[in-house]
Amino acid sequence: MKKFTLSVLLALIASLTFAQDLSYYLPKGYTYNPAIPTPKQVLGYEVGEWHVTHDQLVIYMKAVAEASDRVIFEETGRSYEKRPQTLLTISSPSNLTKLDQIKAERAKLREPGSSIDIQNMPVVMFMGYSVHGNEPSGANASLLAAYHFAAANEIASELENIVLLLDPAINPDGLNRFASWVNSHKAYHLNGDPAGREYNEAWPRGRTNHYWFDLNRDWLPVQHPESRNRVRVFQSWLPNIHLDFHEMGTNSTFFFQPGVPSRVHPLTPKKNFELTEKIGTYHAKALDQIGSLYYNQENYDDFYYGKGSTYPDVQGSIGILFEQASSRGHLQESANGLLSFPFTIRNQFTANLSSYQAAKEMRVELNQWMKDFYTEIKNETTADVNKAYIFGTESDDARSFHLADLILQHDIEVFSLNEDVTINGQEFKKENSYIVPADQPQYRLIKAMFETRTTFEDSLFYDISAWTYPMAFGLDYMALNSKILNLASVSPVDKNSFTLPEGQVIGQPGAYQYAMEWTDYYAPKAAYQLMKAKFLVRVSNTEFSTAEGKTFGRGTLLIGKGESGMDDLAFHSKLQEIAKMSTVDIHALTTGYTSGANLGSTFMSPLDAPKIALLVDGGVDSYEAGEIWHLLDQRMNMPITLLPLDAVSGANLSRYNVIIMADGNYGRLGGSGANAIKSWVSAGNTLIAKGGAVRWLIQNEIGNFAQRMVDNSEKGLQKSYANYDNATGAKGTFGAIFKANLDITHPIGYGYQEKEIHTFRNDNFFLEPSSNPYANPLVYTQDPLASGYLHPSNLPGLQQSAVIRVSAVGRGRVIGFADNMNFRAFWFGTNKLFMNAIYFGQVIDGGTAR
């Protein structure tokens, strides 16, 4: 008996550790066109034997398209690392000759009352794989999907009624990073030990894109090229079903949507849940046939519209999330036995096939649902008293532009003002204000962008609970009724020609000095170029006015030739170049005899160019570090050094005058690292720290900071064990928007004109304000919640606590942040607070920070 058991076990292990041929994956009862190459014929190995790299994936997709008359290959864009984003369009040869016609017919689904032949309209299914690069079973399953749908003889006639859109790797850079890791650590004799290097990839891991962003949170903000390109595909096709292939913990099984019923966003119709549930029966049947464990209606939600499986739900489409237990390599031990990479791929491909079966059989129902969805929207817009939303800002074109541009990406009409308007005492200027009418097909998506919400059916969130965009961009906004809307003179914004206006130099060469206001979003970008050109750049710490009556606020930069060696014409020309590329205006000043303060005043402080190191690796939060890197590298065109924690104690820190510590665990710095940083700050430099980094500062007695603690423990003699997860999970702050008061006279507040601003937080780190009232430039209000969910026990932690606190260390400054000023690259409204810390930490008076 023991001998038999051992032989069975060895056979099982052998089947899991060696490559599986196509028969392991492909459904029974199909024959395949031999003219279509298999993955092994192109790549040289069986699916699942190695992790496919992105270049190999593209090679195979091209090979299939070249061999099949059912497939069109196209490049939809490029990632940051210039890898192609690709799309296979798979359908019958006759459909492929009339794709524009099919798209045009589908566009009519958004036009209530239009004549549409629902009975004969093809159904469209989008298949998107591995938006998280280290969740590779999806991308590897795309090899099988491409082969099956291109080569299976039995589906030829079915493709007359279906169009498949296959994106094999939504995150090309992350996928390639992960594949390189696991392939380079694969042994030819696998043992599955989870402690192995293969299963524990190096920081920042392959989940994210080049700048370490989670692309599955960027469907709505569209701040990255990968997202913009795939959203463009979605809006041009309006797929009925949108598949989103992911992985989860190794000890799990297989999840398919719907998720938790109470965690669906209220703007998503109930019919969407019902259709998702119906499609789920197809997945259950298919997984039953291969004996795989699965579950649904647990854990995951459909609340945040920035995720790939939720973005479609508010647009008449059905988004479906698949989560497969991850082998993280080629074979790994799990609570459910040895988990092989081929097994994970087979589950994903099986769900792909069951989705196809559902789309085929529910074709008419799904197209009818999309038509009904937009018909009902027309009724909703008629009943809604809010007919439009207006937004803008008094003095910054860029933030308004970027929000308008974001909205345009989602097939939403945006209008610019032809004249200034004042509504309820609030002025909106034509140069930087926009109107979004509610009466258009994307009404529900528009509502999701502009609404505030503080009450919820469920208190658990898989992701953020609020993202109100005008608050995120720091803009004035309001809803308009029909009477006000009809009074506004507007012009439509053309997405294809919509660009920021170029900056300019106002005035003639030979000026006494030049001034650049700090109110513009891209002022820090211009500032770096001014310093790079060796100009003398000073910041005004007070307001001043010219004889012509123009007033320049605190934070205005004064620019002189400095050590550039340029004559008047060359100096003026260089300023013109910088103004143009950074979209800010620079003003020529004819005299230093200005009112308020003269230009030679002691209120005008010379600035040193930032030389920045961002600490990375180890326990550093790669998301937040990536957001900082992206802000500086992509938006502000400022070079930074990515300095690993292990290198700090031995590095020449004098190369830098600014060091940034994102949220995270900094234990790896050790005592020597702490001493090095403390000595460096004391020498007169600026240290910027957020969240967990501030905790580390407290532990190492660097600066004067204190964490505020709250008591959110459960009280009482006995509580229901079954409710434990919900009760404890609800106490987390997963992402909400809060009100705070800013001292706009403080260098951290330079460039802001309104004292109340909105900040974003997604954790429970609370920072006590300093006893020195001048050291707290940003403090939460007494009633801080603006939008999103906050557990009542956390309110005392926020009320009048510090969002930003400044501390002197020797001749240097430490600036501590409780909130993330750069959240997911779309929190434009607080980016400048972070940039001010970089530029103006050096001019903060030491007496105000003690």
Side-chain angles (χ1 to χ4, degrees):
M1 182 66 180
K2 290 182 179 179
K3 182 178 180 180
F4 172 77
T5 302
L6 179 61
S7 64
V8 171
L9 178 61
L10 290 173
L12 174 62
I13 293 175
S15 70
L16 291 170
T17 56
F18 294 103
Q20 302 285 356
D21 62 25
L22 284 178
S23 64
Y24 174 73
Y25 302 103
L26 297 177
K28 302 294 187 288
Y30 288 85
T31 60
Y32 292 88
N33 180 354
I36 309 302
T38 66
K40 184 177 182 179
Q41 288 172 331
V42 174
L43 304 180
Y45 59 86
E46 296 286 3
V47 173
E49 186 177 1
W50 293 88
H51 283 244
V52 69
T53 59
H54 185 261
D55 58 327
Q56 293 173 329
L57 200 57
V58 173
I59 288 170
Y60 182 69
M61 297 303 161
K62 285 183 176 179
V64 169
E66 289 171 1
S68 174
D69 60 357
R70 301 178 187 175
V71 181
I72 292 176
F73 174 94
E74 64 179 301
E75 183 179 311
T76 59
R78 292 267 169 163
S79 69
Y80 283 116
E81 294 178 15
K82 303 306 177 186
R83 290 188 174 87
Q85 291 178 262
T86 61
L87 183 74
L88 295 190
T89 304
I90 306 171
S91 193
S92 67
S94 62
N95 280 342
L96 294 183
T97 64
K98 54 181 181 181
L99 294 181
D100 289 341
Q101 178 183 335
I102 294 173
K103 287 182 182 180
E105 282 297 302
R106 294 194 63 74
K108 293 179 182 178
L109 291 169
R110 283 184 170 172
E111 302 170 7
S114 59
S115 178
I116 308 172
D117 184 3
I118 293 291
Q119 295 298 318
N120 294 305
M121 174 179 281
V123 67
V124 176
M125 184 168 76
F126 177 89
M127 304 174 292
Y129 305 87
S130 298
V131 67
H132 296 142
N134 63 357
E135 298 177 3
S137 57
N140 284 266
S142 77
L143 297 167
L144 299 167
Y147 176 71
H148 175 77
F149 293 125
N153 295 313
E154 288 73 17
I155 69 170
S157 61
E158 298 171 0
L159 291 176
E160 291 291 343
N161 292 312
I162 189 166
V163 176
L164 302 173
L165 306 172
L166 189 155
D167 185 334
I170 295 179
N171 180 3
D173 299 343
L175 178 77
N176 212 71
R177 188 159 66 244
F178 180 72
S180 297
W181 176 269
V182 292
N183 285 339
S184 65
H185 293 94
K186 178 191 175 183
Y188 273 77
H189 301 281
L190 309 177
N191 71 6
D193 181 352
R197 186 168 167 82
E198 178 183 355
Y199 314 109
N200 297 279
E201 57 182 310
W203 193 99
R205 297 166 288 279
R207 177 183 177 89
T208 51
N209 75 347
H210 175 78
Y211 285 102
W212 313 331
F213 279 77
D214 185 337
L215 291 176
N216 196 43
R217 303 299 185 268
D218 195 44
W219 284 84
L220 198 58
V222 286
Q223 295 303 304
H224 302 281
E226 300 96 330
S227 307
R228 292 197 163 211
N229 294 330
R230 68 179 185 246
V231 163
R232 186 175 64 249
V233 170
F234 181 95
Q235 295 299 339
S236 68
W237 271 107
L238 308 183
N240 301 94
I241 298 178
H242 192 275
L243 306 183
D244 191 19
F245 294 89
H246 289 254
E247 290 184 356
M248 54 183 168
T250 301
N251 292 322
S252 302
T253 58
F254 188 86
F255 169 85
F256 55 83
Q257 282 182 316
V260 180
S262 61
R263 300 176 197 166
V264 176
H265 197 289
L267 288 170
T268 300
K270 292 182 179 179
K271 180 71 171 179
N272 177 280
F273 187 92
E274 294 167 1
L275 289 171
T276 307
E277 195 170 26
K278 182 175 180 179
I279 294 170
T281 64
Y282 289 81
H283 309 321
K285 181 179 179 181
L287 292 166
D288 283 344
Q289 289 176 348
I290 64 171
S292 287
L293 298 173
Y294 58 85
Y295 67 99
N296 73 355
Q297 301 197 37
E298 294 179 33
N299 299 346
Y300 297 95
D301 68 21
D302 271 317
F303 192 84
Y304 173 50
Y305 289 122
K307 296 186 298 183
S309 60
T310 310
Y311 177 75
D313 293 345
V314 76
Q315 300 179 80
S317 180
I318 310 296
I320 301 178
L321 169 70
F322 298 114
E323 291 276 358
Q324 164 61 47
S326 179
S327 64
R328 285 287 179 248
H330 295 85
L331 178 74
Q332 189 176 170
E333 297 167 4
S334 81
N336 296 304
L338 283 170
L339 180 62
S340 75
F341 188 40
F343 178 81
T344 68
I345 296 170
R346 183 175 68 161
N347 279 348
Q348 299 278 35
F349 179 55
T350 298
N352 207 153
L353 294 177
S354 59
S355 302
Y356 171 85
Q357 190 69 19
K360 181 181 70 174
E361 296 181 11
M362 296 171 62
R363 176 179 62 85
V364 175
E365 183 179 11
L366 291 169
N367 280 324
Q368 184 64 53
W369 161 238
M370 185 171 284
K371 183 176 186 299
D372 293 345
F373 176 89
Y374 288 105
T375 298
E376 179 57 29
I377 276 181
K378 185 63 179 175
N379 298 331
E380 292 174 8
T381 58
T382 300
D384 196 335
V385 296
N386 295 326
K387 300 303 180 183
Y389 297 91
I390 187 170
F391 62 88
T393 183
E394 183 177 339
S395 57
D396 183 5
D397 294 340
R399 282 181 288 130
S400 295
F401 165 84
H402 283 297
L403 178 54
D405 182 57
L406 181 160
I407 295 169
L408 286 166
Q409 305 308 310
H410 300 287
D411 200 23
I412 295 171
E413 289 187 319
V414 178
F415 293 81
S416 60
L417 295 180
N418 295 329
E419 58 189 15
D420 298 347
V421 298
T422 300
I423 304 170
N424 296 332
Q426 176 67 56
E427 184 178 21
F428 291 92
K429 294 185 174 295
K430 65 180 180 179
E431 294 84 6
N432 48 34
S433 298
Y434 301 90
I435 287 179
V436 182
D439 187 10
Q440 51 181 312
Q442 293 287 58
Y443 165 77
R444 291 196 179 199
L445 193 60
I446 294 167
K447 295 281 282 188
M449 292 177 174
F450 283 88
E451 71 167 8
T452 57
R453 187 180 296 274
T454 56
T455 58
F456 302 88
E457 181 181 354
D458 198 312
S459 56
L460 292 185
F461 299 88
Y462 189 74
D463 202 73
I464 62 179
S465 63
W467 53 90
T468 311
Y469 279 133
M471 291 182 178
F473 282 73
L475 300 173
D476 298 316
Y477 77 108
M478 63 181 64
L480 306 179
N481 61 34
S482 57
K483 182 179 180 180
I484 296 175
L485 178 61
N486 292 337
L487 292 175
S489 175
V490 298
S491 297
V493 174
D494 182 358
K495 181 173 74 172
N496 297 319
S497 60
F498 189 45
T499 57
L500 265 172
E502 294 179 347
Q504 60 180 324
V505 175
I506 300 172
Q508 300 302 313
Y512 175 82
Q513 285 267 287
Y514 291 84
M516 185 187 77
E517 294 173 288
W518 198 252
T519 51
D520 294 282
Y521 179 81
Y522 286 109
K525 178 180 181 180
Y528 188 82
Q529 296 305 315
L530 294 170
M531 295 174 180
K532 184 178 178 182
K534 299 186 182 302
F535 299 149
L536 173 63
V537 178
R538 298 176 299 145
V539 60
S540 175
N541 296 296
T542 188
E543 293 183 350
F544 66 91
S545 300
T546 65
E548 293 76 22
K550 179 169 178 58
T551 298
F552 291 88
R554 291 179 175 85
T556 295
L557 298 190
L558 299 168
I559 310 154
K561 294 177 187 176
E563 300 177 358
S564 66
M566 294 182 180
D567 60 26
D568 287 347
L569 287 177
F571 182 35
H572 189 274
S573 177
K574 184 63 177 178
L575 291 176
Q576 189 75 270
E577 175 191 323
I578 292 172
K580 181 178 179 180
M581 59 81 66
S582 57
T583 72
V584 302
D585 291 338
I586 298 175
H587 300 262
L589 305 180
T590 58
T591 177
Y593 193 65
T594 49
S595 60
N598 299 148
L599 298 191
S601 166
T602 56
F603 284 105
M604 314 302 179
S605 303
L607 293 177
D608 292 327
K611 300 171 185 175
I612 306 169
L614 171 65
L615 301 193
V616 297
D617 210 346
V620 176
D621 185 321
S622 61
Y623 290 160
E624 287 199 12
E627 289 157 0
I628 294 165
W629 182 22
H630 174 268
L631 174 68
L632 297 176
D633 194 43
Q634 283 289 315
R635 296 224 179 113
M636 301 305 170
N637 294 3
M638 295 171 63
I640 66 170
T641 296
L642 304 179
L643 184 64
L645 296 187
D646 290 344
V648 168
S649 59
N652 178 14
L653 297 185
S654 64
R655 292 175 59 98
Y656 319 110
N657 54 22
V658 177
I659 289 179
I660 302 172
M661 301 173 71
D663 196 8
N665 182 341
Y666 286 82
R668 275 177 60 173
L669 281 174
S672 59
N675 290 335
I677 288 178
K678 188 171 185 177
S679 175
W680 172 86
V681 178
S682 299
N685 297 301
T686 301
L687 178 64
I688 300 170
K690 154 69 169 62
V694 178
R695 289 193 190 96
W696 181 84
L697 294 177
I698 295 170
Q699 293 164 4
N700 288 276
E701 300 180 343
I702 301 175
N704 179 25
F705 296 96
Q707 183 176 351
R708 177 182 290 185
M709 308 306 293
V710 299
D711 180 10
N712 54 19
S713 60
E714 292 291 317
K715 304 296 191 298
L717 179 63
Q718 187 180 51
K719 296 281 186 178
S720 171
Y721 179 82
N723 194 46
Y724 174 77
D725 287 342
N726 286 349
T728 56
K731 294 171 185 174
T733 303
F734 297 104
I737 304 171
F738 299 92
K739 294 174 288 185
N741 288 325
L742 177 67
D743 177 5
I744 60 176
T745 72
H746 194 286
I748 294 296
Y750 286 174
Y752 287 85
Q753 295 175 309
E754 296 182 14
K755 294 181 179 180
E756 183 173 285
I757 66 173
H758 293 101
T759 70
F760 184 91
R761 70 159 37 231
N762 58 349
D763 63 25
N764 283 348
F765 174 78
F766 307 115
L767 187 59
E768 283 285 3
S770 171
S771 58
N772 179 349
Y774 300 102
N776 305 308
L778 187 63
V779 177
Y780 287 115
T781 65
Q782 182 65 20
D783 181 25
L785 181 62
S787 187
Y789 173 79
L790 177 69
H791 193 274
S793 67
N794 290 322
L795 180 60
L798 286 166
Q799 290 174 313
Q800 297 185 329
S801 67
V803 185
I804 304 175
R805 177 171 166 174
V806 183
S807 176
V809 176
R811 292 187 293 111
R813 305 291 175 269
V814 182
I815 304 171
F817 288 83
D819 289 356
N820 184 358
M821 302 293 111
N822 311 306
F823 184 69
R824 291 183 184 169
F826 74 84
W827 214 264
F828 280 74
T830 52
N831 282 161
K832 186 163 287 179
L833 295 171
F834 189 81
M835 296 307 303
N836 287 352
I838 290 174
Y839 275 98
F840 304 140
Q842 59 186 291
V843 302
I844 296 174
D845 187 291
T848 69
R850 297 189 187 280

